[in-house]
Amino acid sequence: MSDILSRRGFLGATTGLAAAAAFRVPAGPPEAPAVHIRPPAKPVIVASGNGLRGVERAGQLIATGSDTLDAIIEGVKIQELDPTDMSVGYGGLPNEDGVIQLDASCMHGPTRRAGAVGALENIKTPSVVAKYVLLYTDHILLVGEGAKRFALSYGFQEEDLMTEQTRQRWLSWRANRSGRDDWLDVSGEHEMVARPHGTININAVNARGEISSVTTTSGLAWKIPGRVGDSPIVGAGQYCDNDVGAAGSTGRGEANIKACGAFLTVENMRRGMSPTDAALETLRRVVATTEGRLLNERGRPTFGLNFYALNKNGEFGAASMYPSSFSAFHGETAAVHDTAHLFEGR
Ligand code: GLY
């Protein structure tokens, strides 16, 4: 049995599974249609474009009996430990002081538990620390020094996360900064220019209809120290409801936080939308809640944002502001697909 299901949530999990056998979407808005649930025969996993190796690994693990959250965390760890992925974990791009601060969160549908860390320094795998918060505490989000002390107490190693490549990128940014930082001009005319903004999100459902989600990132490059994005915010960077589905995001966190995008996407699926339509609808809400300085002359966002989603039946999809890609594992193969998108170009 997984270390997650073996802990205190197990009783609740089995009860939940029994209830799911005769599933009708509960607790939704009054107009919510009844949705008949038939989980997929084989695991289905959906992720951001950089998650191809991750969905493949998670798919193999779930197929051999691994818990969905354990499996997708093994999937995102591939990127966290890869020094060439400058958006996640080891080798991620630093903040404006040259310090790498990592964010991650996860949810385990069967036990209805969540864990997260924000602004975590010197630990390569924040997704695993987030899982430990889920497993071993009554809290959900630990940040900064407290998150690091928590990780060290469980034997995580304190390590230098900067690579020569990311150090050179930071030195180059620092030498050229000015209008390209996070401090707004007094005039309010300052345009936020595009900057490296990566992340990995993975969501999975197995043949028993058990769902989990995880998102991990080094966040916005050159951010103000202490800035926390959407990734560790449950309901924004990822969200999972074992009765409905899961969703997660990559892209400009500030835009997503205001829309509670992962939660909203799951709620859209609860109301009967397909995963792709649910994600597109969330993006429309994001545009509607975007302040003028972040819209161009055509009223389109000056930033990118993507959502990835799946439901309990194993239907999956993804949508983005502008053309983008996502990874998925279904049947027995992993592949990269094009997202649905709101706008063809800026
Ligand atoms: N979505 C990642 C971030 O904004 O930090």
Side-chain angles (χ1 to χ4, degrees), residues 15-270:
T15 310
L17 282 176
F23 175 78
R24 276 173 183 260
V25 174
E31 75 277 16
V35 176
H36 295 278
I37 296 301
R38 189 183 303 151
K42 294 186 173 167
V44 173
I45 305 162
V46 67
S48 43
N50 57 352
L52 184 63
R53 292 181 298 173
V55 296
E56 199 156 30
R57 177 85 184 118
Q60 289 160 353
L61 287 169
I62 294 172
T64 54
S66 192
D67 171 81
T68 50
L69 183 58
D70 292 340
I72 60 179
I73 285 183
E74 287 306 310
V76 297
K77 268 171 62 184
I78 295 172
Q79 298 311 118
E80 289 181 330
L81 296 172
D82 181 350
T84 67
D85 187 332
M86 288 191 279
S87 72
V88 180
Y90 175 49
L93 289 169
N95 64 22
E96 65 177 23
D97 286 349
V99 175
I100 298 166
Q101 293 187 317
L102 304 175
D103 299 336
S105 66
C106 60
M107 290 185 83
H108 184 244
T111 53
R112 300 183 172 85
R113 296 176 68 83
V117 290
L120 175 66
E121 297 177 11
N122 300 107
I123 306 288
K124 281 182 173 170
T125 54
S127 67
V128 185
V129 184
K131 187 174 95 172
Y132 276 47
V133 174
L134 175 155
L135 277 175
Y136 297 116
T137 80
D138 186 41
H139 303 329
I140 287 183
L141 173 60
L142 299 181
V143 301
E145 190 56 30
K148 181 155 91 178
R149 279 174 43 198
F150 172 81
L152 295 177
S153 79
Y154 280 97
F156 287 79
Q157 294 300 307
E158 191 162 4
E159 296 177 84
D160 181 2
L161 304 187
M162 190 81 106
T163 62
E164 190 49 30
Q165 198 183 10
T166 49
R167 204 172 75 84
Q168 290 305 329
R169 289 281 297 267
W170 174 68
L171 288 172
S172 159
W173 167 79
R174 196 174 66 162
N176 294 299
R177 63 187 291 185
S178 63
R180 297 178 177 221
D181 59 33
D182 276 314
W183 302 96
L184 297 179
D185 289 355
V186 175
S187 68
E189 298 296 316
H190 177 78
E191 186 190 348
M192 297 283 282
V193 298
R195 291 182 303 182
H197 216 152
T199 296
I200 180 169
N201 160 250
I202 305 186
N203 313 285
V205 59
N206 68 13
R208 290 193 296 275
E210 295 166 343
I211 309 169
S212 291
S213 53
V214 62
T215 298
T216 174
T217 190
S218 52
L220 180 65
W222 336 131
K223 59 196 173 187
I224 296 172
R227 177 265 189 188
V228 165
D230 57 334
S231 303
I233 309 293
V234 170
Q238 57 76 42
Y239 190 73
C240 168
D241 180 329
N242 209 55
D243 293 330
V244 178
S249 77
T250 61
R252 183 181 160 82
E254 283 76 3
N256 180 22
I257 289 170
K258 288 192 299 177
C260 304
F263 175 78
L264 184 58
T265 303
V266 171
E267 290 307 294
N268 288 338
M269 291 192 286
R270 189 194 303 277

Side-chain angles (χ1 to χ4, degrees), residues 191-192 286-303 321-322 343 346:
E191 186 190 348
M192 297 283 282
V286 170
V287 175
T289 57
T290 294
E291 58 237 59
R293 72 187 171 86
L294 296 173
L295 298 173
N296 66 19
E297 62 286 353
R298 302 169 79 184
R300 298 180 178 183
T302 55
F303 55 84
M321 285 291 176
Y322 300 103
F343 305 113
R346 292 174 198 234

